Amino acid sequence: MAYRLKVNGERRTVDAEGDTPLLWALRDELDLKGSKFGCGMAQCGACTVHLDGQAVRSCSIPIEAVKDAPITTIEGVGASAIGRTVQAAWIAADVAQCGYCQAGQIMSASALLASNPSPSDAEIDAAMAGNLCRCGAYLRIRAAIKLAASKLGGAK
Amino acid sequence: MSATVRDAGAGLSRRTLLTVGAAAGGGLLLGVGRAAAAGTAFQPNAYVSIAPSGQVSLIAKVPEIGQGVRTSLAMLIAEELEVDLADVSVVTAGDDMARYGLQLAGGSATIRLNYQAMRQAGAVGRVMLVEAAAKTWGVAASECAARGGKVTHTPSGRSLGYGALTAAAAQLTAPDPNTVALKDPAAFRVIGKPQPNVDNAAIVKGEPLFGIDFVLPGMLYAAYEKCGVFGGRPKSANLDEVRAMPGVKHAFIVDGDGDIDSLGGGGVAVVADSWWRAQKARRALKVTWDMDAAPDQDSARWEAMAKDLGPKTPAHILNARGDAAGALKSAAKVVEASYAYPFLAHATMEPQNCTALVKDGKVEIWAPLQGAYRARPQLKKICGAADKDITIHYLRCGGGFGRRGASDFVAEAAKISQMAGAPVKLVWTREDDIRHDFYRPGGWHNFKAGLDANGRLTAFTDHFVTFGRGEKFAPWADMEGDEHPGGVVDHLQYGYSLIPLNAPTGTWRAPRSNALAFAMQSFTDELAHAAGRDPLAFQLELLTPSRKLPRMPSDLPAIYLAPGMDTGRMAAIVKLVAERAGWGRKLEAGRGLGLAHWYSHFGYFAEVADVSVGADGVVKVNKVWVVGDVGGPIVNPAGADQQVKGAVIDGLSAALGQAITLEQGRVAQGNFNDYPLLRITDAPDIDVHFHVTDNPPTGLGEPALPPVAAAVCNAIFAAGGGRRRTLPLNPARTG
Ligand code: FES
Ligand code: FES
């Protein structure tokens, strides 16, 4: 069955079963490989995208549930000032090691800053707790979020 | 001192050889490497080319797994060649060991083995480009200087970019790389200065860099079901039913080859036009498995066997010195304790995957691998292909940690592609990954030590119970005969007994040391307390006087053989870390500091943990101080800081929460809900300091990990939380 999805500002058609997880529709049907597969059960955050501006785990959302909600992926997040700033902060803070988890981290961080421009340490930890990093880049992730917040004018 | 370390390559000459030639399109090509054994052909380790456009390219033979090798190797070239780091592009080589020698991201070896040679290559290039410019202008080379990718004639101010000089330089005779003048480290502009990861821009945009992102035209996707019991073989399956499911193109049984690093017992492949469809159809599989015997591999059973064996005489002796039994008898105090640690899985963030195209006798592989030295021979066997018909591309790895030197997933993808007659991408689920790993083997240490009336260590014995057959340890389950404090005690006995194992074991970040340091350094702390002494003073006493310990004979490949510990280097950083952490200061009730150190992979690390123990016994790590001596310089301080912090977090992840257990032959865990990774909420502050010494630089992927578990356990004891002798400390609550 064909589903019309709004991905990164474009209408895209996905011809797949309704129970196909959004992650696999993005990766294999739409060739957007930035969202990553890590666990398939909402445990690791590697697949995080924005659905209606909220950070969600795309591995655990079937495409039939998406309906009209706009989807933003790591490939499109740079179109917003917040996304661009977070990406730049990730480069400036030199966060990535292997880099595999970082798309998901950036999506969670940019959703956090969109709703809370000046998060405290505890708020950062709470918002990022669903994103695992096997390489252990957590300290730089915290630093990068603070840097992005200050660039966006919201830092405390 | 540095001479000793240099010779530690166990007879490998450090002489660098170089080939120079014209690159395609008129550029300059330098091939660098170390002399091979006499009479064998020279194999360059790396190639550097300078294109007529001025673009510098480095072909790195070692795969990128997050250790930052693409960045650090580029830095070495940029420094000596006098170009900006931003102007060096790095291309990861394909597998070609005939050309490059061993290609492996492992053992924290890349910087140790390449620091000198890469600098020499850059310097040779610089000297040749300067000479080419001098010739062009008819001036003396000594009047010319290279900087920022161009040569300037200082008196006249004329300058030429490298690109314009490559053709002329390629005609010159290259200077001897072993005598070419290297830059004075005081003048370094790139080395020793923090440099961001060269791949950052691509990573933050989500570009398809990783193995799992690879696509071939016309490619199909495979999901693969194996028996949960290691070695189990598929007998029959409802293949027709599965073939009728949406998108499924093939479903078939893959026969095993009995080799756990290859096809093992075999499995059932489902090949479809998308991975999700393949996986969904796989879930509908009903497979009957053939097993040799009722599965007896079980953690509870092993636990009981180890408890039974522990007090008995070791079946085999690893090392004995002096008279341990006599010394224990005459000791003023004897301390006994048993320590245990579990199996661990790697759980690389990117699950294992591989894209294969096997057709007409040719094999092509695209995979996130740390090395293909195991995969290539398997491919020859499975596909019946000749070496020259096998091409292996190294794609970026979403983490390695020792998992991606194995070839099981490569063998499976190749076989499935061959049988399906199509290019196939095999992607494992997280559950496949956790249940079919090469695990860090578990073990039990039964220690006895003697202290004299002054609280000094006189005798030390360990009955190590782990896995293996006969007297042969399971892969990476072994220990050396001189694990510290084995090298410094007068009366020693290290013995072992083995429990037969059917599960695969392998390298896991800082193999062996990751477990041994926990047991040895925790028990050493225990001894200090039993002696009524400060653990810092007790540890330092064992390292005094400063001496270089001999190395035990070992089965390790020559390039990984480190010299024995230099106790002076260790004592220096133990003191330093204690100072930085404020050792001896008073902390509130329920909070304590713990100290541990370990020498592994040529690197010296000492760590102090600040830990709180809750009323519920739950352990929280507040801060970790790390001091390392990996020689000098620290090539990329930014990358080094990441590797150390990552290693500490990795060590904490394992110590706090991780355990793989087998229940009736099957791994009980499957995903991050029951095999937890440390989350950001539990990530402590980490203070990293490098004690730079004039020893040759060595790598950092591993040696910072081993001390952390013991430092935490020793801190728990100091906090009044009792002596914790079993890992993990906060066992997983399934959630
Ligand atoms: S893959 Fe979606 S949360 Fe792990
Ligand atoms: S950078 Fe490797 S998993 Fe986060």
Side-chain angles (χ1 to χ4, degrees):
Chain A
M1 172 163 173
Y3 290 84
R4 302 268 289 160
L5 301 179
K6 222 186 287 172
V7 182
N8 298 330
E10 271 176 57
R11 280 277 170 199
R12 304 285 302 267
T13 304
V14 173
D15 195 7
E17 292 74 50
D19 66 354
T20 305
L22 177 57
L23 172 65
W24 293 105
L26 293 169
R27 286 185 59 82
D28 289 350
E29 310 292 333
L30 301 179
D31 200 28
L32 293 168
K33 297 281 196 277
S35 309
K36 294 292 189 264
F37 171 53
C39 68
M41 58 182 291
Q43 287 284 325
C44 77
C47 64
T48 306
V49 300
H50 297 170
L51 194 64
D52 240 343
Q54 302 289 315
V56 297
R57 314 298 177 212
S58 65
C59 68
S60 301
I61 297 179
I63 49 172
E64 65 199 0
V66 172
K67 308 253 176 339
D68 253 352
I71 300 158
T72 307
T73 70
I74 188 70
E75 289 89 348
V77 77
S80 79
I82 292 178
R84 244 189 337 272
T85 308
V86 171
Q87 285 173 318
W90 241 250
I91 294 176
D94 192 24
V95 175
Q97 290 185 42
C98 82
Y100 192 78
C101 71
Q102 299 300 346
Q105 305 278 3
I106 288 169
M107 296 311 286
S108 289
S110 48
L112 165 67
L113 292 177
S115 66
N116 179 354
S118 57
S120 66
D121 278 10
E123 286 166 337
I124 290 176
D125 279 11
M128 302 303 291
N131 289 82
L132 293 173
C133 176
R134 177 69 178 81
C135 298
Y138 294 128
L139 304 181
R140 291 196 185 184
I141 288 170
R142 278 192 200 129
I145 293 174
K146 288 187 185 164
L147 179 64
S150 76
K151 290 271 193 257
L152 290 164
K156 283 190 260 196
Chain B
M1 177 187 296
S2 55
T4 324
V5 178
R6 281 196 186 150
D7 290 343
L12 276 186
S13 157
R14 301 280 303 191
R15 257 186 86 73
T16 301
L17 295 181
L18 190 88
T19 56
V20 179
L28 178 66
L29 182 71
L30 304 167
V32 234
R34 283 165 46 180
T40 61
F42 165 56
Q43 304 168 334
N45 276 328
Y47 288 90
V48 182
S49 68
I50 305 158
S53 66
Q55 174 68 47
V56 178
S57 305
L58 164 66
I59 297 175
K61 68 162 187 169
V62 179
E64 175 68 52
I65 62 171
Q67 83 282 43
V69 68
R70 287 165 53 86
T71 307
S72 55
L73 290 182
M75 288 173 70
L76 299 176
I77 287 294
E79 180 71 68
E80 293 287 351
L81 191 57
E82 291 289 6
V83 292
D84 294 335
L85 184 59
D87 293 332
V88 182
S89 64
V90 187
V91 181
T92 299
D95 174 57
D96 190 354
M97 302 220 300
R99 183 171 187 175
Y100 300 113
L102 179 67
Q103 291 176 273
L104 177 66
S108 300
T110 304
I111 288 297
R112 179 164 57 79
L113 298 177
N114 294 284
Y115 177 70
Q116 195 71 1
M118 294 301 280
R119 285 181 60 200
Q120 288 165 337
V124 165
R126 166 176 36 89
V127 166
M128 293 176 77
L129 290 159
V130 166
E131 209 180 308
K135 271 219 170 112
T136 308
W137 294 321
V139 301
S142 59
E143 290 179 353
C144 303
R147 178 89 182 258
K150 57 179 195 243
V151 181
T152 304
H153 179 233
T154 318
S156 68
R158 276 177 297 184
S159 71
L160 277 171
Y162 283 179
L165 294 165
T166 52
Q171 305 306 315
L172 301 172
T173 316
D176 180 352
N178 299 287
T179 52
V180 71
L182 297 176
K183 283 175 74 173
D184 176 359
F188 281 169
R189 274 190 287 267
V190 183
I191 296 175
K193 315 279 183 283
Q195 306 291 345
N197 189 323
V198 294
D199 296 312
N200 273 339
I203 288 169
V204 304
K205 284 188 280 188
E207 286 180 15
L209 306 174
F210 297 91
I212 202 170
D213 301 334
F214 186 72
V215 177
L216 274 181
M219 169 180 98
L220 297 175
Y221 298 79
Y224 189 56
E225 179 82 9
K226 284 188 279 192
C227 186
V229 174
F230 297 103
R233 299 177 298 275
K235 209 153 79 180
S236 62
N238 57 337
L239 296 173
D240 288 334
E241 201 176 311
V242 166
R243 280 186 196 119
M245 292 183 68
V248 175
K249 306 283 184 199
H250 310 269
F252 46 77
I253 287 180
V254 176
D255 288 330
D257 58 7
D259 180 348
I260 201 71
D261 198 21
S262 178
L263 297 172
V268 185
V270 181
V271 182
D273 59 1
S274 83
W275 185 80
W276 176 251
R277 286 184 173 140
Q279 174 62 15
K280 206 175 145 190
R282 172 194 171 185
R283 286 190 189 153
L285 274 175
K286 293 189 197 78
V287 187
T288 319
W289 302 99
D290 229 355
M291 280 169 277
D292 289 329
D296 65 349
Q297 302 279 296
D298 194 287
S299 293
R301 197 174 136 259
W302 291 334
E303 181 79 41
M305 290 169 80
K307 282 231 158 70
D308 178 55
L309 284 168
K312 295 186 177 155
T313 313
H316 315 281
I317 297 299
L318 202 56
N319 193 12
R321 182 184 325 120
D323 171 17
L328 283 174
K329 231 174 255 151
S330 59
K333 190 167 193 175
V334 174
V335 186
E336 271 183 74
S338 299
Y339 283 78
Y341 45 81
F343 283 68
L344 294 177
H346 295 82
T348 54
M349 208 70 226
E350 177 192 22
Q352 308 319 315
N353 64 87
C354 177
T355 303
L357 173 54
V358 180
K359 223 181 151 185
D360 308 328
K362 295 225 183 338
V363 180
E364 197 160 0
I365 299 289
W366 295 261
L369 283 169
Q370 288 176 249
Y373 69 107
R374 282 157 69 182
R376 180 173 283 274
Q378 299 291 15
L379 291 168
K380 282 204 248 182
K381 239 177 18 200
I382 296 166
C383 305
D387 234 337
K388 63 169 180 32
D389 292 326
I390 300 175
T391 308
I392 302 173
H393 306 272
Y394 289 127
L395 301 183
R396 189 180 184 89
C397 298
F401 312 108
R403 175 64 178 90
R404 289 189 152 111
S407 51
D408 46 349
F409 52 95
V410 179
E412 290 166 5
K415 193 72 199 171
I416 295 168
S417 166
Q418 189 181 41
M419 290 178 72
V424 165
K425 173 153 78 176
L426 168 70
V427 178
W428 284 14
T429 62
R430 176 58 59 197
E431 289 79 6
D432 295 333
D433 191 58
I434 286 186
R435 294 182 179 145
H436 296 281
D437 200 350
F438 289 80
Y439 303 94
R440 191 284 298 272
W444 296 263
H445 292 265
N446 302 280
F447 296 119
K448 243 182 245 181
L451 299 162
D452 69 14
N454 298 319
R456 298 173 74 98
L457 180 66
T458 54
F460 194 90
T461 71
D462 182 12
H463 179 192
F464 179 28
V465 179
T466 184
F467 297 89
R469 279 176 206 281
E471 57 174 13
K472 202 168 153 29
F473 288 98
W476 300 97
D478 59 325
M479 65 183 257
E480 301 288 332
D482 59 351
E483 302 290 350
H484 188 68
V488 300
V489 68
D490 289 339
H491 303 284
L492 173 77
Q493 183 182 292
Y494 281 168
Y496 65 99
S497 302
L498 300 176
I499 299 173
L501 181 73
N502 277 337
T505 57
T507 53
W508 192 101
R509 198 174 195 170
R512 310 188 296 182
S513 303
N514 59 44
L516 298 172
F518 152 68
M520 300 282 177
Q521 283 285 292
S522 294
F523 186 59
T524 303
D525 190 80
E526 193 164 353
L527 291 175
H529 288 284
R533 301 179 56 194
D534 173 26
L536 172 63
F538 189 82
Q539 291 267 22
L540 286 173
E541 182 178 275
L542 293 174
L543 299 170
T544 313
S546 167
R547 58 218 187 271
K548 284 169 208 147
L549 300 174
R551 188 184 64 211
M552 288 286 292
S554 166
D555 299 335
L556 281 180
I559 56 163
Y560 296 125
L561 274 186
M565 176 166 66
D566 177 336
T567 66
R569 282 179 78 179
M570 189 59 89
I573 60 166
V574 167
K575 281 183 211 150
L576 205 48
V577 80
E579 224 172 271
R580 293 178 72 88
W583 185 260
R585 70 196 149 94
K586 197 107 191 85
L587 292 164
E588 72 245 31
R591 190 162 175 177
L593 297 182
L595 167 75
H597 66 78
W598 203 250
Y599 167 60
S600 70
H601 296 86
F602 295 70
Y604 292 77
F605 275 84
E607 300 175 13
V608 169
D610 165 354
V611 167
S612 300
V613 184
D616 49 2
V618 171
V619 173
K620 174 149 178 47
V621 181
N622 304 307
K623 182 162 181 176
V624 178
W625 289 263
V626 183
V627 177
D629 172 1
V630 287
I634 305 298
V635 174
N636 184 4
D641 174 80
Q642 278 176 323
Q643 288 301 311
V644 170
K645 287 178 176 157
V648 166
I649 291 198
D650 203 0
L652 289 176
S653 241
L656 291 173
Q658 295 176 347
I660 289 294
T661 54
L662 273 83
E663 289 171 12
Q664 299 196 357
R666 287 166 204 274
V667 170
Q669 294 71 28
N671 209 314
F672 295 122
N673 58 328
D674 47 21
Y675 190 73
L677 291 189
L678 195 89
R679 293 184 183 270
I680 194 169
T681 35
D682 293 318
D685 189 12
I686 303 170
D687 174 85
V688 178
H689 175 75
F690 289 104
H691 180 55
V692 177
T693 57
D694 59 7
N695 296 284
T698 73
L700 272 170
E702 302 175 287
L705 186 142
V708 73
V712 167
C713 291
N714 298 343
I716 294 171
F717 184 79
R723 182 56 64 181
R724 300 291 297 269
R725 300 190 184 92
T726 302
L727 297 182
L729 299 166
N730 298 332
R733 293 144 291 186
T734 302

